[in-house]
Structure formats: C-alpha cells, structure tokens
Amino acid sequence: MELCIKLMVKMLLLLIAQDHKYSEGAYLHVHPNRLQFFEYDSISLNCSGFHGPAEWRVIKKLGLNSTQWETSKKFLYIKPAFKSHGGEYWCENEDGEKSMTVSITITGGDVILEIPAFPFMEGDFVTLGCRKKGMSSSLPPDFYKDGHYLETGYAGKITIPHVSKSNEGLYKCSFSESQGKSPESWMAVTAAHVAPT
C-alpha cells in the first residue's frame, strides 16, 4: 500500500512538472517578429503553444490595475496600428494562467529598432537591425544600450553571439541626428535550462 502511494505521488509530481515545462514553451507570438512598429503597420498577435480545455485570449494592460480582453479568441489582428495600440500584451486563460509579457511600441517617427519579440535564452545568437521608414538610409546605424553608444552597424545591423544576462537592457538605434532615432525597447534574456545529470 505504501509503495502504491509513493508511486502515485511520483506520477503526480511528474505530471505537474510536465505541465510546468509545457507552459514555459507557450508564448504570445507577434508577427512580424519584432517589438517596434511604424504607425499604420499591420500586426498579428496569437497565443501559440497553449493547449487544453481552458480558452486562451490576448490581453492588453490598460492601466496600473486594469486589463482588457482584446479578443475572445487566441488571435488578434491590428490593421492599421496606431500609437494607442502600443503597450503590454500577454496571453491569459480564465484560470488566471499567463504567458510572458510582450511590450510593443508603435511610433509616429521615422526609425524603428528591429528587435525580436521573443525573449532570448542565454547562449542565443541575437541580431538587431535598424529600419528607416520609406527610403533606406545611406548611413550605417548606431546602436545604443542603456543610453550608451554600443557600436555602428556597418551592414545595417549588429549581432550579439552567445547572449547572456549582462546583455539585458534598453536598446535603441539611430542613423544620424537629422534622420532621427528609434524608441527604446527592453531586451530580455532568460537563463538557459540545464538538464539534470
């Protein structure tokens, strides 16, 4: 009898661990995959990797303690995007389970930082780009982290090989003072999972 109870407890713990692992793989998918957009761009948001009986919906934060169901489905399409569409989004179900938050910026300016919406894992290879609205710039963009100059992207972008927690921070880019600069976006880096030995 005692052996049966131990086996049942182990199975229950295994199921909980599997659920927890699965929820980590579920996320709010943003297409195109970036955090910054120009006004009038088209954006789609959907809850990917969420399964089970609970219904997942896209949520937008409205204020300090106020949220809004943006849609009754797992998919939200914004066309055209306006500044008011910017903000924090995540997926949530009626049981209160949530995905990680994605902070989207919609700018009326001429420059955006092309930074992927997914959080990076330690060790990932990261590429950041800089885009000018309309015609492309003939100047290479400068990239900044936490307000400090980082490097010039002579190919229009920069790469960070083997990203780590030290690379977390606020990033922006600019082509020149006259051509403007992008808004800042936070680059999140999550710790890599180490398999038990």
Side-chain angles (χ1 to χ4, degrees):
M1 183 71 176
E2 191 178 322
L3 182 62
C4 278
I5 292 169
K6 281 183 180 177
L7 280 169
M8 284 172 62
V9 168
K10 279 186 179 178
M11 283 180 66
L12 185 64
L13 288 171
L14 249 168
L15 285 168
I16 291 167
Q18 281 179 343
D19 283 349
H20 180 64
K21 186 185 248 185
Y22 195 79
S23 67
E24 285 177 350
Y27 55 86
L28 175 64
H29 179 79
V30 182
H31 183 79
N33 179 22
R34 60 178 193 258
L35 293 175
Q36 296 189 10
F37 296 88
F38 295 115
E39 276 193 303
Y40 306 107
D41 277 352
S42 298
I43 309 167
S44 69
L45 306 170
N46 74 295
C47 300
S48 300
F50 296 96
H51 294 285
E55 184 181 358
W56 290 87
R57 300 179 182 182
V58 179
I59 301 288
K60 182 185 179 188
K61 185 173 185 177
L62 298 180
L64 285 174
N65 295 306
S66 177
T67 59
Q68 168 182 324
W69 293 104
E70 276 295 334
T71 175
S72 61
K73 299 291 181 184
K74 292 193 290 186
F75 182 83
L76 173 65
Y77 190 54
I78 301 171
K79 181 184 180 183
F82 297 108
K83 285 184 182 179
S84 59
H85 288 115
E88 293 181 16
Y89 291 84
W90 63 90
C91 293
E92 188 173 328
N93 66 17
E94 57 263 34
D95 297 328
E97 295 175 297
K98 299 178 182 180
S99 71
M100 288 183 68
T101 299
V102 174
S103 186
I104 292 173
T105 301
I106 316 292
T107 179
D110 292 328
V111 180
I112 60 169
L113 174 70
E114 293 183 304
I115 178 171
F118 300 142
F120 300 106
M121 295 285 289
E122 285 183 320
D124 282 352
F125 186 90
V126 177
T127 300
L128 302 178
C130 198
R131 181 186 291 190
K132 183 165 172 57
K133 194 173 186 178
M135 290 171 47
S136 60
S137 174
S138 58
L139 298 168
D142 291 326
F143 291 83
Y144 300 83
K145 177 180 181 277
D146 299 324
H148 302 290
Y149 170 78
L150 189 62
E151 66 178 281
T152 299
Y154 291 103
K157 58 190 176 185
I158 61 169
T159 56
I160 306 170
H162 309 297
V163 73
S164 69
K165 291 291 282 184
S166 65
N167 296 116
E168 274 194 336
L170 286 167
Y171 287 79
K172 66 181 177 182
C173 67
S174 69
F175 288 100
S176 70
E177 285 301 320
S178 61
Q179 293 189 30
K181 59 186 175 185
S182 75
E184 287 184 315
S185 280
W186 179 262
M187 185 168 85
V189 180
T190 59
H193 293 291
V194 179
T197 54

